[in-house]
PDB file of all heavy atoms in Angstrom:
ATOM      1  N   ALA A 102     284.181  24.770 169.921  1.00  0.00           N
ATOM      2  CA  ALA A 102     285.520  24.816 169.319  1.00  0.00           C
ATOM      3  C   ALA A 102     286.556  25.254 170.352  1.00  0.00           C
ATOM      4  O   ALA A 102     287.654  24.681 170.433  1.00  0.00           O
ATOM      5  CB  ALA A 102     285.525  25.761 168.119  1.00  0.00           C
ATOM      6  N   VAL A 103     286.211  26.247 171.164  1.00  0.00           N
ATOM      7  CA  VAL A 103     287.107  26.699 172.229  1.00  0.00           C
ATOM      8  C   VAL A 103     287.299  25.577 173.252  1.00  0.00           C
ATOM      9  O   VAL A 103     288.411  25.349 173.742  1.00  0.00           O
ATOM     10  CB  VAL A 103     286.562  27.983 172.895  1.00  0.00           C
ATOM     11  CG1 VAL A 103     287.361  28.361 174.128  1.00  0.00           C
ATOM     12  CG2 VAL A 103     286.545  29.130 171.888  1.00  0.00           C
ATOM     13  N   GLY A 104     286.226  24.856 173.562  1.00  0.00           N
ATOM     14  CA  GLY A 104     286.312  23.738 174.499  1.00  0.00           C
ATOM     15  C   GLY A 104     287.262  22.658 174.026  1.00  0.00           C
ATOM     16  O   GLY A 104     287.983  22.046 174.823  1.00  0.00           O
ATOM     17  N   SER A 105     287.284  22.436 172.732  1.00  0.00           N
ATOM     18  CA  SER A 105     288.211  21.457 172.156  1.00  0.00           C
ATOM     19  C   SER A 105     289.650  21.871 172.423  1.00  0.00           C
ATOM     20  O   SER A 105     290.489  21.059 172.833  1.00  0.00           O
ATOM     21  CB  SER A 105     287.935  21.341 170.657  1.00  0.00           C
ATOM     22  OG  SER A 105     288.785  20.416 170.062  1.00  0.00           O
ATOM     23  N   PHE A 106     289.946  23.123 172.214  1.00  0.00           N
ATOM     24  CA  PHE A 106     291.294  23.654 172.463  1.00  0.00           C
ATOM     25  C   PHE A 106     291.648  23.574 173.948  1.00  0.00           C
ATOM     26  O   PHE A 106     292.744  23.155 174.318  1.00  0.00           O
ATOM     27  CB  PHE A 106     291.394  25.095 171.958  1.00  0.00           C
ATOM     28  CG  PHE A 106     292.716  25.732 172.249  1.00  0.00           C
ATOM     29  CD1 PHE A 106     293.845  25.402 171.517  1.00  0.00           C
ATOM     30  CD2 PHE A 106     292.830  26.649 173.282  1.00  0.00           C
ATOM     31  CE1 PHE A 106     295.077  25.980 171.811  1.00  0.00           C
ATOM     32  CE2 PHE A 106     294.049  27.238 173.576  1.00  0.00           C
ATOM     33  CZ  PHE A 106     295.183  26.895 172.831  1.00  0.00           C
ATOM     34  N   ILE A 107     290.718  23.970 174.806  1.00  0.00           N
ATOM     35  CA  ILE A 107     290.973  23.951 176.250  1.00  0.00           C
ATOM     36  C   ILE A 107     291.177  22.518 176.737  1.00  0.00           C
ATOM     37  O   ILE A 107     292.089  22.243 177.521  1.00  0.00           O
ATOM     38  CB  ILE A 107     289.832  24.654 177.015  1.00  0.00           C
ATOM     39  CG1 ILE A 107     289.846  26.151 176.722  1.00  0.00           C
ATOM     40  CG2 ILE A 107     289.939  24.392 178.516  1.00  0.00           C
ATOM     41  CD1 ILE A 107     288.638  26.899 177.261  1.00  0.00           C
ATOM     42  N   GLY A 108     290.333  21.597 176.275  1.00  0.00           N
ATOM     43  CA  GLY A 108     290.472  20.200 176.681  1.00  0.00           C
ATOM     44  C   GLY A 108     291.820  19.628 176.287  1.00  0.00           C
ATOM     45  O   GLY A 108     292.479  18.937 177.077  1.00  0.00           O
ATOM     46  N   ALA A 109     292.250  19.925 175.067  1.00  0.00           N
ATOM     47  CA  ALA A 109     293.553  19.434 174.605  1.00  0.00           C
ATOM     48  C   ALA A 109     294.683  20.056 175.423  1.00  0.00           C
ATOM     49  O   ALA A 109     295.633  19.363 175.803  1.00  0.00           O
ATOM     50  CB  ALA A 109     293.736  19.742 173.124  1.00  0.00           C
ATOM     51  N   SER A 110     294.581  21.349 175.709  1.00  0.00           N
ATOM     52  CA  SER A 110     295.625  22.023 176.491  1.00  0.00           C
ATOM     53  C   SER A 110     295.695  21.487 177.915  1.00  0.00           C
ATOM     54  O   SER A 110     296.776  21.257 178.457  1.00  0.00           O
ATOM     55  CB  SER A 110     295.376  23.530 176.518  1.00  0.00           C
ATOM     56  OG  SER A 110     295.427  24.055 175.217  1.00  0.00           O
ATOM     57  N   LEU A 111     294.541  21.287 178.525  1.00  0.00           N
ATOM     58  CA  LEU A 111     294.511  20.764 179.896  1.00  0.00           C
ATOM     59  C   LEU A 111     295.044  19.338 179.976  1.00  0.00           C
ATOM     60  O   LEU A 111     295.619  18.943 180.988  1.00  0.00           O
ATOM     61  CB  LEU A 111     293.087  20.800 180.448  1.00  0.00           C
ATOM     62  CG  LEU A 111     292.560  22.133 180.941  1.00  0.00           C
ATOM     63  CD1 LEU A 111     291.097  22.013 181.335  1.00  0.00           C
ATOM     64  CD2 LEU A 111     293.381  22.636 182.107  1.00  0.00           C
ATOM     65  N   SER A 112     294.858  18.569 178.907  1.00  0.00           N
ATOM     66  CA  SER A 112     295.277  17.166 178.939  1.00  0.00           C
ATOM     67  C   SER A 112     296.787  17.013 179.036  1.00  0.00           C
ATOM     68  O   SER A 112     297.276  15.933 179.372  1.00  0.00           O
ATOM     69  CB  SER A 112     294.756  16.427 177.710  1.00  0.00           C
ATOM     70  OG  SER A 112     295.466  16.809 176.549  1.00  0.00           O
ATOM     71  N   ASP A 113     297.514  18.079 178.768  1.00  0.00           N
ATOM     72  CA  ASP A 113     298.964  18.040 178.939  1.00  0.00           C
ATOM     73  C   ASP A 113     299.364  18.164 180.411  1.00  0.00           C
ATOM     74  O   ASP A 113     300.488  17.842 180.776  1.00  0.00           O
ATOM     75  CB  ASP A 113     299.639  19.166 178.141  1.00  0.00           C
ATOM     76  CG  ASP A 113     299.501  18.981 176.644  1.00  0.00           C
ATOM     77  OD1 ASP A 113     299.373  17.818 176.202  1.00  0.00           O
ATOM     78  OD2 ASP A 113     299.520  19.997 175.922  1.00  0.00           O
ATOM     79  N   ARG A 114     298.437  18.644 181.251  1.00  0.00           N
ATOM     80  CA  ARG A 114     298.756  18.887 182.652  1.00  0.00           C
ATOM     81  C   ARG A 114     297.912  18.062 183.633  1.00  0.00           C
ATOM     82  O   ARG A 114     298.287  17.900 184.777  1.00  0.00           O
ATOM     83  CB  ARG A 114     298.579  20.371 182.962  1.00  0.00           C
ATOM     84  CG  ARG A 114     299.537  21.261 182.194  1.00  0.00           C
ATOM     85  CD  ARG A 114     299.415  22.713 182.563  1.00  0.00           C
ATOM     86  NE  ARG A 114     298.267  23.438 182.053  1.00  0.00           N
ATOM     87  CZ  ARG A 114     298.080  23.784 180.794  1.00  0.00           C
ATOM     88  NH1 ARG A 114     298.921  23.406 179.877  1.00  0.00           N
ATOM     89  NH2 ARG A 114     297.037  24.482 180.425  1.00  0.00           N
ATOM     90  N   VAL A 115     296.757  17.597 183.180  1.00  0.00           N
ATOM     91  CA  VAL A 115     295.821  16.895 184.057  1.00  0.00           C
ATOM     92  C   VAL A 115     295.480  15.559 183.394  1.00  0.00           C
ATOM     93  O   VAL A 115     295.611  15.420 182.180  1.00  0.00           O
ATOM     94  CB  VAL A 115     294.536  17.744 184.248  1.00  0.00           C
ATOM     95  CG1 VAL A 115     293.554  17.073 185.185  1.00  0.00           C
ATOM     96  CG2 VAL A 115     294.872  19.132 184.761  1.00  0.00           C
ATOM     97  N   SER A 116     294.996  14.628 184.160  1.00  0.00           N
ATOM     98  CA  SER A 116     294.609  13.323 183.634  1.00  0.00           C
ATOM     99  C   SER A 116     293.616  13.459 182.475  1.00  0.00           C
ATOM    100  O   SER A 116     292.572  14.096 182.607  1.00  0.00           O
ATOM    101  CB  SER A 116     293.971  12.487 184.749  1.00  0.00           C
ATOM    102  OG  SER A 116     293.278  11.385 184.214  1.00  0.00           O
ATOM    103  N   ARG A 117     293.957  12.854 181.352  1.00  0.00           N
ATOM    104  CA  ARG A 117     293.080  12.905 180.181  1.00  0.00           C
ATOM    105  C   ARG A 117     291.730  12.263 180.470  1.00  0.00           C
ATOM    106  O   ARG A 117     290.691  12.782 180.063  1.00  0.00           O
ATOM    107  CB  ARG A 117     293.732  12.207 178.992  1.00  0.00           C
ATOM    108  CG  ARG A 117     294.931  12.927 178.477  1.00  0.00           C
ATOM    109  CD  ARG A 117     295.454  12.289 177.247  1.00  0.00           C
ATOM    110  NE  ARG A 117     296.038  10.986 177.566  1.00  0.00           N
ATOM    111  CZ  ARG A 117     296.705  10.245 176.720  1.00  0.00           C
ATOM    112  NH1 ARG A 117     296.865  10.638 175.480  1.00  0.00           N
ATOM    113  NH2 ARG A 117     297.203   9.087 177.077  1.00  0.00           N
ATOM    114  N   LEU A 118     291.753  11.129 181.170  1.00  0.00           N
ATOM    115  CA  LEU A 118     290.499  10.440 181.452  1.00  0.00           C
ATOM    116  C   LEU A 118     289.613  11.264 182.378  1.00  0.00           C
ATOM    117  O   LEU A 118     288.384  11.241 182.249  1.00  0.00           O
ATOM    118  CB  LEU A 118     290.766   9.057 182.028  1.00  0.00           C
ATOM    119  CG  LEU A 118     291.498   8.087 181.101  1.00  0.00           C
ATOM    120  CD1 LEU A 118     291.677   6.736 181.768  1.00  0.00           C
ATOM    121  CD2 LEU A 118     290.782   7.946 179.776  1.00  0.00           C
ATOM    122  N   MET A 119     290.219  12.008 183.292  1.00  0.00           N
ATOM    123  CA  MET A 119     289.439  12.859 184.186  1.00  0.00           C
ATOM    124  C   MET A 119     288.753  13.981 183.390  1.00  0.00           C
ATOM    125  O   MET A 119     287.577  14.268 183.591  1.00  0.00           O
ATOM    126  CB  MET A 119     290.309  13.459 185.281  1.00  0.00           C
ATOM    127  CG  MET A 119     289.531  14.278 186.297  1.00  0.00           C
ATOM    128  SD  MET A 119     290.550  14.935 187.616  1.00  0.00           S
ATOM    129  CE  MET A 119     291.406  16.237 186.766  1.00  0.00           C
ATOM    130  N   ILE A 120     289.499  14.604 182.494  1.00  0.00           N
ATOM    131  CA  ILE A 120     288.919  15.675 181.669  1.00  0.00           C
ATOM    132  C   ILE A 120     287.794  15.126 180.791  1.00  0.00           C
ATOM    133  O   ILE A 120     286.713  15.713 180.706  1.00  0.00           O
ATOM    134  CB  ILE A 120     289.996  16.342 180.798  1.00  0.00           C
ATOM    135  CG1 ILE A 120     291.012  17.068 181.667  1.00  0.00           C
ATOM    136  CG2 ILE A 120     289.369  17.315 179.802  1.00  0.00           C
ATOM    137  CD1 ILE A 120     292.265  17.474 180.924  1.00  0.00           C
ATOM    138  N   ALA A 121     288.040  13.991 180.160  1.00  0.00           N
ATOM    139  CA  ALA A 121     287.035  13.407 179.272  1.00  0.00           C
ATOM    140  C   ALA A 121     285.780  13.018 180.050  1.00  0.00           C
ATOM    141  O   ALA A 121     284.666  13.325 179.628  1.00  0.00           O
ATOM    142  CB  ALA A 121     287.616  12.206 178.530  1.00  0.00           C
ATOM    143  N   SER A 122     285.945  12.347 181.188  1.00  0.00           N
ATOM    144  CA  SER A 122     284.767  11.924 181.945  1.00  0.00           C
ATOM    145  C   SER A 122     284.018  13.120 182.529  1.00  0.00           C
ATOM    146  O   SER A 122     282.791  13.160 182.494  1.00  0.00           O
ATOM    147  CB  SER A 122     285.143  10.928 183.041  1.00  0.00           C
ATOM    148  OG  SER A 122     286.011  11.513 183.978  1.00  0.00           O
ATOM    149  N   PHE A 123     284.750  14.109 183.045  1.00  0.00           N
ATOM    150  CA  PHE A 123     284.089  15.295 183.600  1.00  0.00           C
ATOM    151  C   PHE A 123     283.272  16.012 182.530  1.00  0.00           C
ATOM    152  O   PHE A 123     282.112  16.357 182.752  1.00  0.00           O
ATOM    153  CB  PHE A 123     285.130  16.244 184.206  1.00  0.00           C
ATOM    154  CG  PHE A 123     284.536  17.527 184.716  1.00  0.00           C
ATOM    155  CD1 PHE A 123     283.851  17.555 185.919  1.00  0.00           C
ATOM    156  CD2 PHE A 123     284.623  18.704 183.980  1.00  0.00           C
ATOM    157  CE1 PHE A 123     283.275  18.730 186.391  1.00  0.00           C
ATOM    158  CE2 PHE A 123     284.063  19.879 184.436  1.00  0.00           C
ATOM    159  CZ  PHE A 123     283.387  19.889 185.646  1.00  0.00           C
ATOM    160  N   SER A 124     283.871  16.220 181.363  1.00  0.00           N
ATOM    161  CA  SER A 124     283.151  16.954 180.324  1.00  0.00           C
ATOM    162  C   SER A 124     281.930  16.171 179.846  1.00  0.00           C
ATOM    163  O   SER A 124     280.869  16.748 179.609  1.00  0.00           O
ATOM    164  CB  SER A 124     284.071  17.313 179.156  1.00  0.00           C
ATOM    165  OG  SER A 124     284.538  16.159 178.503  1.00  0.00           O
ATOM    166  N   LEU A 125     282.056  14.853 179.743  1.00  0.00           N
ATOM    167  CA  LEU A 125     280.901  14.047 179.325  1.00  0.00           C
ATOM    168  C   LEU A 125     279.796  14.071 180.375  1.00  0.00           C
ATOM    169  O   LEU A 125     278.617  14.188 180.042  1.00  0.00           O
ATOM    170  CB  LEU A 125     281.332  12.609 179.031  1.00  0.00           C
ATOM    171  CG  LEU A 125     282.104  12.395 177.732  1.00  0.00           C
ATOM    172  CD1 LEU A 125     282.704  11.003 177.685  1.00  0.00           C
ATOM    173  CD2 LEU A 125     281.214  12.640 176.521  1.00  0.00           C
ATOM    174  N   PHE A 126     280.178  13.948 181.645  1.00  0.00           N
ATOM    175  CA  PHE A 126     279.175  13.985 182.711  1.00  0.00           C
ATOM    176  C   PHE A 126     278.461  15.335 182.766  1.00  0.00           C
ATOM    177  O   PHE A 126     277.280  15.400 183.082  1.00  0.00           O
ATOM    178  CB  PHE A 126     279.800  13.703 184.081  1.00  0.00           C
ATOM    179  CG  PHE A 126     279.832  12.248 184.453  1.00  0.00           C
ATOM    180  CD1 PHE A 126     281.022  11.656 184.792  1.00  0.00           C
ATOM    181  CD2 PHE A 126     278.681  11.481 184.466  1.00  0.00           C
ATOM    182  CE1 PHE A 126     281.068  10.309 185.140  1.00  0.00           C
ATOM    183  CE2 PHE A 126     278.710  10.143 184.808  1.00  0.00           C
ATOM    184  CZ  PHE A 126     279.917   9.556 185.142  1.00  0.00           C
ATOM    185  N   MET A 127     279.145  16.413 182.481  1.00  0.00           N
ATOM    186  CA  MET A 127     278.561  17.753 182.592  1.00  0.00           C
ATOM    187  C   MET A 127     277.586  18.083 181.463  1.00  0.00           C
ATOM    188  O   MET A 127     276.777  18.997 181.593  1.00  0.00           O
ATOM    189  CB  MET A 127     279.667  18.808 182.652  1.00  0.00           C
ATOM    190  CG  MET A 127     280.468  18.783 183.940  1.00  0.00           C
ATOM    191  SD  MET A 127     279.434  18.904 185.420  1.00  0.00           S
ATOM    192  CE  MET A 127     278.731  20.527 185.221  1.00  0.00           C
ATOM    193  N   ILE A 128     277.650  17.357 180.362  1.00  0.00           N
ATOM    194  CA  ILE A 128     276.767  17.655 179.233  1.00  0.00           C
ATOM    195  C   ILE A 128     275.303  17.509 179.627  1.00  0.00           C
ATOM    196  O   ILE A 128     274.481  18.364 179.293  1.00  0.00           O
ATOM    197  CB  ILE A 128     277.122  16.781 178.009  1.00  0.00           C
ATOM    198  CG1 ILE A 128     278.480  17.215 177.447  1.00  0.00           C
ATOM    199  CG2 ILE A 128     276.038  16.881 176.939  1.00  0.00           C
ATOM    200  CD1 ILE A 128     279.022  16.291 176.374  1.00  0.00           C
ATOM    201  N   ALA A 129     274.956  16.445 180.337  1.00  0.00           N
ATOM    202  CA  ALA A 129     273.547  16.218 180.687  1.00  0.00           C
ATOM    203  C   ALA A 129     272.973  17.329 181.561  1.00  0.00           C
ATOM    204  O   ALA A 129     271.957  17.928 181.196  1.00  0.00           O
ATOM    205  CB  ALA A 129     273.367  14.848 181.337  1.00  0.00           C
ATOM    206  N   PRO A 130     273.581  17.666 182.717  1.00  0.00           N
ATOM    207  CA  PRO A 130     272.961  18.719 183.528  1.00  0.00           C
ATOM    208  C   PRO A 130     272.944  20.077 182.839  1.00  0.00           C
ATOM    209  O   PRO A 130     271.962  20.819 182.953  1.00  0.00           O
ATOM    210  CB  PRO A 130     273.803  18.748 184.807  1.00  0.00           C
ATOM    211  CG  PRO A 130     275.030  17.976 184.531  1.00  0.00           C
ATOM    212  CD  PRO A 130     274.739  17.058 183.390  1.00  0.00           C
TER     213      PRO A 130
END
């Protein structure tokens, strides 16, 4: 739930696609 808030907040300042792809890639490891 906190990650959802952080992701939304960061998307206002950083590329949305970068945040989405990074978070998805990090789930596996």
Side-chain angles (χ1 to χ4, degrees):
V103 172
S105 180
F106 177 75
I107 292 171
S110 298
L111 281 175
S112 73
D113 293 333
R114 296 183 285 289
V115 182
S116 164
R117 292 186 291 188
L118 297 181
M119 184 178 74
I120 294 167
S122 62
F123 176 77
S124 64
L125 286 169
F126 271 125
M127 290 306 296
I128 291 171

